[in-house]
Amino acid sequence: MSRAHEGVPPVPDPLAELYRRQAAVTAMGGPERIARQHQAGKWTARERIAALVDPGSFEEIGAHVLPRAGGVDPGEAPADGVVTGFGRVDGRPVYVYAQDFTVLGGSLGEMHAAKIQRVQDLALKTGCPLVGINDSGGARIQEGVDALNGYGEIFKRNTWASGVIPQITAIMGPCAGGAVYSPALTDLVVMVRGTAQMFITGPQVIQAVTGEQVSAEDLGGADAQLRKSGVAHFAVDSDAEALALIREILGRLPANNLEDPPLRPGRDPEAIDLRTLVPPDPNKPYDVRDVIRGIVDQDSFLPFQEGYADNLVVGLAYLDGHALGVVANQPRVLAGTLDINASDKLARFVRFCDAFNIPVLTLVDTPGYLPGTAQEYGGIIRHGAKVLYAYAEATVPKLTVVLRKAYGGAYLAMCSRALGADLVLAWPTAEIAVMGPDGAANIIYRREIQEAADPAAVRRQKVAEYRAQFAHPYVAASRGYIDAVVDPADTRRWLVRGLATLLNKRERRPAKKHGNIPL
Ligand code: HXC
């Protein structure tokens, strides 16, 4: 008699067992929780990944990973609440993790964290971008310090990968407490309005400690983290929009720091008359985004952090098919002054471009740094120094166009020749001087103005004299600080040719462990 007849169960068909287990993993938190997820306007982890990668390109790794901690029923935790693997975006490889809120609230335990670390390690080793999709109740309470340690291991890998591979995070649900720091360590954060929330301490804690009442959305929703804190780079209306945006961004970036960004077919810019765009009155604003659109390939400009420090515009574009980072003072907001937030926005963007071999175009029209005690006490010296540091450190091709005002320290800061610009152009409307005509006349002609019978008239006259003498591009051009004064209509031609010539630029800095950017 065979053993099977003695009551020993038959060996299961190995394939049937595999498919039974796969089905359990695919079911994740079960139909009820999935329905609740959909009612909340959120997709599941696998639905999100399917929308992110090219159709059919995703391969999941670690599907059989389960929690091993006491207090968590492994049967309740398929894939340990996070889907990890690799796929392709526009045919280019990418690693992904997506937390699934339907499994234990997407909470992060030891093995959940280990799965994320696995794709971080693989992405770094292979030089592939990593996209993280966050939707989680945070540290899995039952797993205690093992969960905390898991976060630490993730933060460390985020840091090691920084500047080597693009790391993009989508926030599509709760992301609270220390959990926010993995997204914050990545290059770009995309948040979905209405469902994404990021905060260190939630509304209840804030009310208990400070008495302040604030809703979760107002505290840490997409618009709050985009506009108020500058933590998020993009706020969008749905999971679908977020994932389409991430595909678009990945398409503009190299896979890693050793590659160049992909080329696209060049396109003519929008038909915008640059000759008449800058008003003759230096105190009249205009929208610098029109200048950008009049220079770069049509429909290619993708602004970052729109709504935060809008006195400075930054974003990715294409110039005759080449990827380009654009930095521009915005005279419409705070007259285009540089303040603390604009400095941080600028420095981080320039370093992002430099890390990923994206040339930087800087459009200058700034009267200087924003005055005030709030700025001084807030550390504008320290924050403004980041701008100098980022530009001086960057080795990518750097092109600068002075549109109008470029005064004093801000002239230097906005990628001047002294900071290493490779091509510096000025429009005939440019005013490059140590300070604006009003301030300058008041100082150097103070006595004459004071002693005049009609001080106001003399002041006006002295301002006009100063303007005629200094507030134009030709003094700077005569010293070689400006390479060419150009007709605005020729700007694009100059930049296209300049960039094409600079693409093989190689510049080295002294070897060091790392710099000490004033943080
Ligand atoms: C274990 C959790 C969990 C957690 C949620 N769940 N958060 N399980 N650990 N941290 C489970 C719930 O028990 C529930 O299980 C399911 O996930 C869905 O949660 P709900 O509360 O029903 O959902 P919702 O009403 O949408 O509320 C979501 C939430 C809330 C706001 C995220 O769950 C919440 O406040 N969770 C606790 C958040 C928290 O304090 N986390 C620790 C933060 S400390 P069932 O079985 O009912 O579906 C931290 C430190 C990190 O993260 C430090 C790193 C340095």
Side-chain angles (χ1 to χ4, degrees):
M1 232 190 223
S2 75
R3 288 173 59 84
H5 291 103
E6 290 165 5
V8 177
V11 175
D13 173 3
L15 270 181
E17 177 64 8
L18 169 65
Y19 286 114
R20 188 191 66 73
R21 286 176 180 260
Q22 280 185 351
V25 170
T26 309
M28 293 307 265
E32 255 174 53
R33 289 198 186 87
I34 291 175
R36 239 181 287 152
Q37 178 83 349
H38 288 158
Q39 275 156 21
K42 303 197 292 182
W43 286 346
T44 64
R46 286 199 184 78
E47 288 166 346
R48 287 165 172 165
I49 292 175
L52 173 71
V53 301
D54 297 345
S57 72
F58 183 64
E59 300 291 359
E60 183 169 344
I61 57 176
H64 302 291
V65 170
L66 293 171
R68 52 180 198 166
V72 187
D73 174 4
E76 290 288 304
D80 206 329
V82 61
V83 179
T84 53
F86 53 90
R88 294 196 172 245
V89 171
D90 296 333
R92 301 162 72 217
V94 54
Y95 280 92
V96 191
Y97 76 84
Q99 297 178 310
D100 196 312
F101 194 79
T102 70
V103 174
L104 299 169
S107 57
L108 182 141
E110 176 201 12
M111 297 308 289
H112 177 120
K115 288 182 69 174
I116 296 175
Q117 292 153 27
R118 175 92 178 125
V119 282
Q120 289 183 299
D121 288 341
L122 287 165
L124 184 55
K125 270 195 279 197
T126 56
C128 290
L130 177 68
V131 178
I133 300 176
N134 288 44
D135 185 359
S136 165
R140 187 172 300 153
I141 294 159
Q142 300 90 320
E143 299 204 30
V145 289
D146 288 331
L148 290 184
N149 183 66
Y151 275 116
E153 294 287 343
I154 291 170
F155 300 160
K156 180 173 70 187
R157 285 166 175 79
N158 284 134
T159 308
W160 287 350
S162 180
V164 182
I165 53 169
Q167 301 180 82
I168 303 181
T169 313
I171 312 289
M172 297 187 159
C175 180
V180 298
Y181 283 118
S182 172
L185 286 165
T186 64
D187 297 297
L188 296 171
V189 176
V190 181
M191 292 183 72
V192 180
R193 290 193 181 91
T195 52
Q197 276 150 20
M198 294 179 82
F199 37 71
I200 296 282
T201 52
Q204 290 98 333
V205 178
I206 290 183
Q207 188 174 2
V209 175
T210 70
E212 280 175 281
Q213 283 192 21
V214 59
S215 72
E217 186 69 16
D218 284 348
L219 177 66
D223 283 308
Q225 294 295 11
L226 176 73
R227 292 165 185 280
K228 293 201 166 93
S229 68
V231 167
H233 297 81
F234 302 94
V236 297
D237 288 323
S238 65
D239 287 10
E241 211 183 308
L243 296 161
L245 175 64
I246 293 174
R247 283 182 63 89
E248 167 66 30
I249 295 167
L250 287 172
R252 292 165 179 253
L253 301 178
N256 58 63
N257 63 326
L258 301 179
E259 286 186 6
D260 286 329
L263 295 171
R264 280 189 185 174
R267 298 178 70 174
D268 285 337
E270 223 172 285
I272 292 175
D273 184 3
L274 297 179
R275 283 181 171 171
T276 55
L277 209 90
V278 173
D281 178 348
N283 297 320
K284 281 246 165 68
Y286 62 94
D287 192 339
V288 80
R289 290 173 300 186
D290 293 335
V291 180
I292 296 170
R293 296 207 320 277
I295 291 175
V296 303
D297 296 5
Q298 184 156 8
D299 297 329
S300 75
F301 184 56
L302 175 67
F304 285 18
Q305 292 189 298
E306 209 176 25
Y308 179 76
D310 280 336
N311 39 332
L312 186 92
V313 175
V314 301
L316 293 180
Y318 283 90
L319 186 69
D320 198 26
H322 293 283
L324 183 74
V326 182
V327 176
N329 306 117
Q330 172 59 287
R332 267 167 55 131
V333 180
L334 295 174
T337 48
L338 279 176
D339 63 355
I340 289 170
N341 291 347
S343 298
D344 284 5
K345 181 177 176 180
L346 187 156
R348 183 144 170 88
F349 180 74
V350 168
R351 298 188 100 214
F352 168 77
C353 291
D354 190 46
F356 296 117
N357 306 316
I358 300 170
V360 176
L361 168 66
T362 304
L363 304 177
V364 187
D365 187 350
T366 178
Y369 289 91
L370 182 67
T373 50
Q375 290 291 309
E376 296 295 342
Y377 296 160
I380 182 63
I381 296 175
R382 181 163 49 86
H383 293 277
K386 296 177 201 180
V387 173
L388 304 170
Y389 194 108
Y391 272 129
E393 172 191 54
T395 57
V396 287
K398 295 182 280 194
L399 305 105
T400 300
V401 184
V402 183
L403 309 178
R404 195 169 58 175
K405 292 174 214 167
Y407 291 132
Y411 151 66
L412 281 182
M414 293 303 292
C415 204
S416 57
R417 155 101 188 265
L419 291 191
D422 301 296
L423 181 66
V424 187
L425 307 177
W427 285 3
T429 41
E431 301 176 9
I432 304 163
V434 71
M435 64 168 68
D438 294 283
N442 278 339
I443 294 171
I444 56 182
Y445 301 113
R446 188 178 48 197
R447 187 162 315 147
E448 283 171 75
I449 293 171
Q450 273 171 0
E451 290 171 359
D454 183 351
V458 174
R459 183 181 293 115
R460 268 197 306 278
Q461 180 203 336
K462 293 297 177 191
V463 167
E465 273 174 25
Y466 181 91
R467 181 176 295 286
Q469 213 178 340
F470 297 109
H472 52 69
Y474 300 103
V475 176
S478 76
R479 304 289 198 278
Y481 302 137
I482 301 291
D483 292 308
V485 183
V486 302
D487 179 340
D490 296 335
T491 312
R492 177 176 159 101
R493 192 195 75 214
W494 266 95
L495 293 174
V496 166
R497 292 179 177 181
L499 179 61
T501 314
L502 288 166
L503 283 172
N504 287 331
K505 176 185 172 188
R506 289 288 176 268
E507 204 171 67
R508 292 197 190 287
R509 304 275 175 259
K512 55 182 155 183
K513 189 170 175 189
H514 57 69
N516 189 12
I517 186 166
L519 293 172

